[in-house]
Amino acid sequence: GSTSQLARMLVRRGASFCGPAICDISVIDLARVSSAVEDPDLAPWLEIVQDFNKVHWACESEDVTLLVSLLRSDSVTMSDICGLDGCATTPLNLVLHPEKFPLLFPRKPVELDPFVTSDSSVNKIVASNPSMATLLTLATGTWHPRAHHIFPASFRRTVVLVLCVAQRLQTREHRRSIKVRSGNEKVNCNGLPIEIWMQILSFCGRDDW
């Protein structure tokens, strides 16, 4: 109904409903009573989303553009994605296992080819946006050139600075290289190669800078 749709819209736009209970009745309890006939899914839906952050909502709305923007900002930490603060429903779980959240991702059963063998389930749920799953998986791992664009802005700046300095040092040391006349052998007094610096950076996660 219109009331429950309004309630969902307000919650998606940041309205808080987790404040002190009024007369010992929480907003969720009130929704459970008032929407029992009109929208029985409202109260369970509120229970699921009550701890949602902005990354959750980007995943719930399947907004890839918004998710990328959040991941590239300095405001999203590992706990916002993996729920290290105790949130049971994490953004990563939403996109990797949407079948566990039918109230958030209602899907019709897959229309299976009649010639497909019986190994497939008729009630198999279509996965949530697969590109979002890839983005969050990369964003929660350690740094890699492939994941660079979805790491925080401060992290990306630091990586560029480290690699630029490493390249500068390597170039300068290369000019001081010592040539040893033993066949075609050449010994350099170079600093660490760029590849080694990239290997070092690959041990760092998004919260390290």
Side-chain angles (χ1 to χ4, degrees), residues 87-103:
C87 178
T89 306
T90 69
L92 196 57
N93 280 338
L94 290 184
V95 298
L96 292 180
H97 306 289
E99 72 280 0
K100 295 181 179 180
F101 309 99
L103 291 178

Side-chain angles (χ1 to χ4, degrees), residues 12-180:
R12 286 188 176 104
R13 292 180 178 273
S16 174
F17 59 94
C18 300
I22 302 174
C23 299
D24 295 326
I25 301 177
S26 69
V27 172
I28 294 178
D29 290 333
L30 185 61
R32 186 173 290 112
V33 173
S34 62
S35 302
V37 176
E38 179 186 350
D39 185 359
D41 289 337
L42 179 59
W45 183 84
L46 289 173
E47 288 181 327
I48 293 174
V49 306
Q50 61 183 327
D51 294 319
F52 272 22
N53 58 42
K54 49 198 170 184
V55 183
H56 282 97
W57 289 118
C59 295
E60 189 266 351
S61 62
E62 300 185 78
D63 189 334
V64 177
T65 302
L66 175 58
L67 179 62
V68 170
S69 176
L70 290 171
L71 294 177
R72 287 173 58 82
S73 73
D74 288 330
S75 61
V76 171
T77 63
M78 190 71 82
S79 64
D80 293 322
I81 304 171
C82 297
L84 303 180
D85 55 359
C87 178
T89 306
T90 69
L92 196 57
N93 280 338
L94 290 184
V95 298
L96 292 180
H97 306 289
E99 72 280 0
K100 295 181 179 180
F101 309 99
L103 291 178
L104 301 179
F105 304 107
R107 292 288 187 272
K108 294 180 181 179
V110 177
E111 293 293 334
L112 293 177
D113 188 308
F115 295 103
V116 173
T117 55
S118 59
D119 232 9
S120 302
S121 170
V122 175
N123 294 317
K124 182 179 178 181
I125 302 298
V126 178
S128 182
N129 195 317
S131 63
M132 299 187 84
T134 300
L135 288 170
L136 287 183
T137 301
L138 289 173
T140 53
T142 53
W143 179 85
H144 185 275
R146 185 182 172 208
H148 180 79
H149 69 291
I150 52 173
F151 266 57
S154 58
F155 193 106
R156 298 197 311 273
R157 287 193 298 269
T158 303
V159 167
V160 172
L161 177 61
V162 168
L163 294 181
C164 284
V165 171
Q167 179 65 52
R168 178 69 174 175
L169 291 175
Q170 190 174 22
T171 301
R172 187 176 64 179
E173 290 298 321
H174 182 71
R175 292 170 181 170
R176 299 178 183 175
S177 61
I178 302 173
K179 296 181 180 180
V180 178

